[in-house]
Amino acid sequence: MAEYDLAIIGGGINGTGLARDAAGRRLRVLLVEQNDLASGTSSASTKLIHGGLRYLEHGAFRLVREALHEREVLLRMAPHVIRPLRFMLPPLPGLRSALRLRIGLFIYDMLGGRKLLPATRTVDLTHHPVGQPLKRSFRYGFEFSDCLVDDSRLVVLNALDAAERGAVIRTRTRCIRAERRDEWELVLNSRGRREVATARVLVNAAGPWIGEVADTVIRRPLAAPVRLVKGSHIVVRRRFEHDCGYLLQAADGRVVFALPFAQEFTLIGTTDENFVGDLNSPAPDHDEVVYLCQTVNEYFRDQVTPDELVWSFAGVRSLYDDGANKPEDVTRDYVLALDEIHGEAPLLTIYGGKITTHRRLAEAAMERIGIFFGALPPWTAGSTLPGGDFPVDGFDALVAESIGRWPFLDQPHARRLVRAYGRRIERILKDAQNMNELGPRFAGDLTGAEVRYLVENEWAQSADDVLWRRSKLGLKATPEQRSALEQFIASLQSAA
C-alpha cells in the first residue's frame, strides 16, 4: 500500500492550495518543493486578487466571472494578507474610449456577484487625492475595486494549513525520479540524502518547470504544449501618499499597474514577454524597465527613471499554449491534464492559473482525481487561513487590540505584524512586556522572536526566506543586518 494518497511536485500557489484542499479531505498528502515555498512565480506576481479587467477584451467571461467570485471568497478567507483596494483608471486619448471603459467596468461590477466591495464610480481628478500625482491633463477617471495580496505569504499560509491538517511539506527537496507502476515510486533528494516515497496519484504542479519535470523526472512528455511568459516588475520610492492603486493603459494597448507597496514604495508592473532562458534566475531586461517607466510617465508628473530602481523582479508563467500570437493574449485560465493508463497510477499536470483562482483550481483538480480515493466533498469555500479568523473589516480593530495588549508596539510595527500573521501575532509576541524581550533587531522592525517563529513554523531556512518571501523587509536590510540574520538563523538550526 502506498504511503501517500497524493504526491505533489511544486510548492507554489497551485501546489500548496491543492495540498491544503486534499489534506482537509483527509487524504495523505506529500508536497515536495526543490527550493523554498513560493520561491518561483508565486512570489513574483503583481500582488493582486482581481478578476482581470483586460481579459474581458478576449472574451474570457468564464475566467473573469470565476476570478471575481473568488476575489470575495479569498478576502473572507484571509483578511490579513488580502485587503480591498480602490483603483483609478484614467482614460488616455487615442486608446480605449471612455465609453468603452465604462461599459467594461459595468460588466466587471455585474459579472462576479460583488457583495463586499464598492462599485465603480466616476471621479473628478481635479478635486480628489488620486488626481494629485497625475498630470493636470487628466480631468476625470473611473474608480473601481479589486484586492491587494501578499502573494508569498498566501502560499505559506496554504502550506501551513495543509500541514496542520496532516500534509507532509518538504522544502529544499527535489524529486529526481518518478517510477510509474500501479503506484508512483518517487526518488527524493534532500541536501544530498536520498529517500523513496510512494503515492497513488502524482500531480505535476511545478509551474514553469512542468516541462522539465515531465522530461527528466517522469520521463513522459507533456500531453499539451506549455507557453512560458515572463512578467517583470520594478519598485521605486513612493509616488503618492494615498492608499489607492492605478490601472494605466500603455500605448501598445496593454495595461500597467502602479500600486502602494511595503509602506514606502510603489510597485509598477507588469510586462508580457515570451521567455527563453534560465528558469532559476529570470530578471527584467533593460527594454522592459524602460517600457514600464515610459508607461507610468505618460500619467505621473513625478517622472520615473531606470536608474532609481529600489528593486526589480520577474516571474515566469507556465501557460497553456493556445496558439495566440502575442504573449499577452495567451489564456490565463488553468488547464488540468489527467493522464490515465490502465494498470498504472494516474498523473495530473497543471497548466497556468492565477493566484486569484488557486482555491477553485484545487477544487477542480480534486473533482478530477478525487474519484481515485473516494474523497470527501469540497470544504474550503467557507474556511479561513491561519490567522485569518476575524471579520473582513476587522483589520484596524485587530491592530488596536494588539497595541492594547502589547503597548510597546508602535503603529507601523503592529500593522505589519497583523497584516502578515493576523490573530497568530500572539504566537510571536506571547507574554513579552517590552521590545528587548523579543530578542535582537534586524532589518526594519524584524525581531528575533519573529524569526524564531518563521524558522520553527513556516519552513524559513535562510535570510532570503525571511526578508523576501515571509516579509518584504529585504527592501530595508543592510548587508550587515542580512549577515547578522543569517548567523541568527544558523544558530537556531544548530540548536534544533
Side-chain angles (χ1 to χ4, degrees), residues 10-179:
I13 191 63
N14 291 340
T16 57
L18 178 55
R20 175 182 186 247
D21 188 310
R25 301 188 199 216
R26 300 180 187 172
L27 298 183
R28 297 167 299 153
V29 178
L30 168 68
L31 182 146
V32 294
E33 162 57 46
Q34 63 180 345
N35 296 308
D36 183 30
L37 296 170
S39 56
T41 309
S42 293
S43 60
S45 78
T46 314
K47 325 301 181 191
L48 295 176
I49 298 294
H50 67 142
L53 180 60
R54 73 180 182 89
Y55 304 147
L56 293 176
E57 292 184 315
H58 302 292
F61 291 97
R62 191 211 66 79
L63 172 61
V64 175
R65 182 186 298 108
E66 181 175 85
L68 288 172
H69 176 266
E70 285 300 294
R71 182 181 64 180
E72 297 206 354
V73 172
L74 296 182
L75 179 56
R76 289 188 180 96
M77 182 182 295
H80 46 337
V81 297
I82 299 172
R83 65 182 178 92
L85 192 69
R86 292 293 273 174
F87 287 81
M88 173 50 57
L89 171 52
L92 187 67
L95 297 177
R96 301 167 182 88
S97 69
L99 177 61
R100 183 180 178 185
L101 294 175
R102 194 64 185 87
I103 292 172
L105 286 165
F106 174 78
I107 296 172
Y108 200 66
D109 275 349
M110 295 297 103
L111 202 57
R114 176 185 50 82
K115 296 177 182 178
L116 298 176
L117 302 174
T120 298
R121 64 173 186 152
T122 302
V123 170
D124 179 357
L125 294 176
T126 64
H127 296 90
H128 195 284
V130 295
Q132 185 72 24
L134 298 175
K135 293 180 178 179
R136 293 293 176 246
S137 57
F138 294 101
R139 314 295 292 180
Y140 71 96
F142 303 116
E143 188 181 67
F144 68 99
S145 294
D146 267 319
C147 293
L148 203 60
V149 64
D150 186 330
D151 50 6
S152 51
R153 283 217 56 77
L154 186 66
V155 173
V156 171
L157 292 180
N158 270 280
L160 185 58
D161 199 54
E164 291 177 354
R165 296 176 188 275
V168 175
I169 308 295
R170 297 284 303 276
T171 64
R172 268 82 178 189
T173 301
R174 182 187 294 270
C175 182
I176 58 176
R177 184 63 58 88
E179 299 290 349

Side-chain angles (χ1 to χ4, degrees), residues 442-444 467-468 472-482 485:
F442 302 102
L467 295 175
W468 292 110
K472 291 297 177 284
L473 293 172
L475 290 164
K476 301 179 180 180
T478 66
E480 293 76 17
Q481 290 170 331
R482 180 188 174 88
L485 177 58

